[in-house]
Amino acid sequence: MEKYKIAKIISTITNPPIICIPLFMVICLTLSLKHNEDFLTLEIISLIFASILPMAIIMIWAKIIGTDNDISNRSDRYTPLIIGIISYFIGFLISLYMNLDNFLTCLLLCYSVNTGVVLLITAKWKISVHTTGLSGPNAALILLLGSLGALFAILYPLVIWSRVLLKKHTLSQAIAGGVQGYFLTVVEMYLFMNVLNLPISGIIGLTDSVLYILAIITTPVILGILSYTNKSKALFVIAELLCLALFVLFTPFNIWMIFVIITLTSILISYFAGKDFIWRDVLS
């Protein structure tokens, strides 16, 4: 029961409109310091269109259809997702019109597009909005802050565990949400700033950003694959050592250390979760 309560708390605070509040605050503060932008203006725009409006939509829709704020039924998610797409896109247009920081402008467009991708996937499969909602702004922080931004990824395996334990998602749905959120955000940020001629200075290169993402998702993906196959601890150790060797040989120290941190976090979560979480079976 104690684990369930902890999982519930984690799930609540990492609800996309909620977790984006502190993450966007860090993003806006960083932009204000790096690019001499007005923090308050950036924060108000991001708060309204990335948090308050989507949160209000979710709560109102959940009340209308008589369900929880997670909107657990896949078919009930279409309306809030569509309205969310519109909200993020309006935020993008306002940011563009007000000539706000190009990073925030592109990020709001990323939110709109990523939510559209989630909507398309949701038509067939209940991909995790929680892990998608975490990985998007986390990817933005990686672009801005590198390894410091990547440290927020310790939440990724925690959210995977909480959503699976609460039976809101399967393991694959929880992992996949993060994978697509991380990759789409980084690729789209570079795409939009070039296609829309919105140059952004002082961000991490595309190659290093992808390497950071690989450092974050590798262990959860390995644990996920083994959870669905033979649950072999020996295979996990071999795979992890091989990946560690590759990261140490071909990536900078700060990137492969993120891999180590996420790996240790994932293992600790697995042991804490015990038999209630399938990752533990792999490590038994």
Side-chain angles (χ1 to χ4, degrees):
M1 184 59 69
E2 190 67 28
K3 293 176 185 177
Y4 184 87
K5 288 181 180 178
I6 294 172
K8 188 71 175 176
I9 292 170
I10 292 171
S11 181
T12 299
I13 64 176
T14 57
N15 194 299
I18 295 175
I19 191 62
C20 80
I21 295 174
L23 295 184
F24 262 90
M25 187 175 293
V26 176
I27 290 169
C28 293
L29 181 60
T30 303
L31 293 175
S32 68
L33 294 174
K34 275 191 171 186
H35 302 162
N36 295 317
E37 295 282 346
D38 180 58
F39 168 76
L40 189 58
T41 303
L42 298 178
E43 181 62 19
I44 289 173
I45 294 298
S46 62
L47 190 63
I48 291 173
F49 295 101
S51 179
I52 294 176
L53 285 179
M55 190 185 305
I57 292 161
I58 291 170
M59 294 177 68
I60 292 170
W61 182 247
K63 188 172 183 180
I64 289 173
I65 63 175
T67 188
D68 58 276
N69 287 336
D70 282 335
I71 310 182
S72 300
N73 190 349
R74 177 173 58 86
S75 61
D76 291 334
R77 294 185 165 196
Y78 301 144
T79 297
L81 285 173
I82 291 170
I83 299 176
I85 292 169
I86 296 170
S87 175
Y88 301 136
F89 192 72
I90 292 173
F92 157 71
L93 292 177
I94 291 175
S95 182
L96 188 64
Y97 176 76
M98 294 178 64
N99 197 29
L100 299 183
D101 192 276
N102 289 343
F103 189 94
L104 180 63
T105 302
C106 290
L107 184 57
L108 287 169
L109 182 56
C110 283
Y111 255 69
S112 185
V113 173
N114 288 356
T115 307
V117 173
V118 169
L119 176 64
L120 293 175
I121 296 173
T122 300
K124 295 292 183 181
W125 196 53
K126 190 185 169 187
I127 193 168
S128 174
V129 177
H130 271 68
T131 51
T132 301
L134 168 68
S135 57
N138 188 200
L141 284 170
I142 291 170
L143 287 170
L144 281 175
L145 299 172
S147 54
L148 287 177
L151 286 175
F152 286 91
I154 60 173
L155 291 172
Y156 178 44
L158 276 170
V159 177
I160 291 171
W161 165 69
S162 70
R163 299 303 287 169
V164 173
L165 182 66
L166 296 173
K167 294 181 170 55
K168 300 295 184 179
H169 290 285
T170 64
L171 181 61
S172 58
Q173 290 167 347
I175 293 173
V179 172
Q180 70 99 22
Y182 278 117
F183 279 114
L184 281 181
T185 301
V186 166
V187 171
E188 286 167 13
M189 286 293 288
Y190 270 91
L191 176 66
F192 295 152
M193 74 179 191
N194 286 290
V195 172
L196 301 178
N197 193 26
L198 296 170
I200 303 171
S201 61
I203 61 173
I204 301 299
L206 180 59
T207 300
D208 279 355
S209 298
V210 170
L211 290 174
Y212 272 117
I213 292 170
L214 290 174
I216 291 166
I217 69 171
T218 294
T219 297
V221 168
I222 290 173
L223 282 168
I225 292 172
L226 292 177
S227 295
Y228 283 110
T229 53
N230 59 9
K231 300 180 177 66
S232 169
K233 182 178 181 180
L235 277 179
F236 172 73
V237 172
I238 292 170
E240 286 292 310
L241 289 175
L242 177 60
C243 290
L244 177 60
L246 291 172
F247 275 110
V248 171
L249 287 172
F250 298 108
T251 68
F253 171 80
N254 51 352
I255 292 179
W256 67 258
M257 275 306 298
I258 293 297
F259 169 76
V260 171
I261 290 169
I262 301 302
T263 296
L264 292 176
T265 302
S266 300
I267 292 172
L268 288 173
I269 290 169
S270 301
Y271 278 103
F272 169 77
K275 294 297 182 180
D276 293 328
F277 189 43
I278 196 169
W279 281 2
R280 182 67 177 84
D281 294 340
V282 176
L283 300 175
S284 297

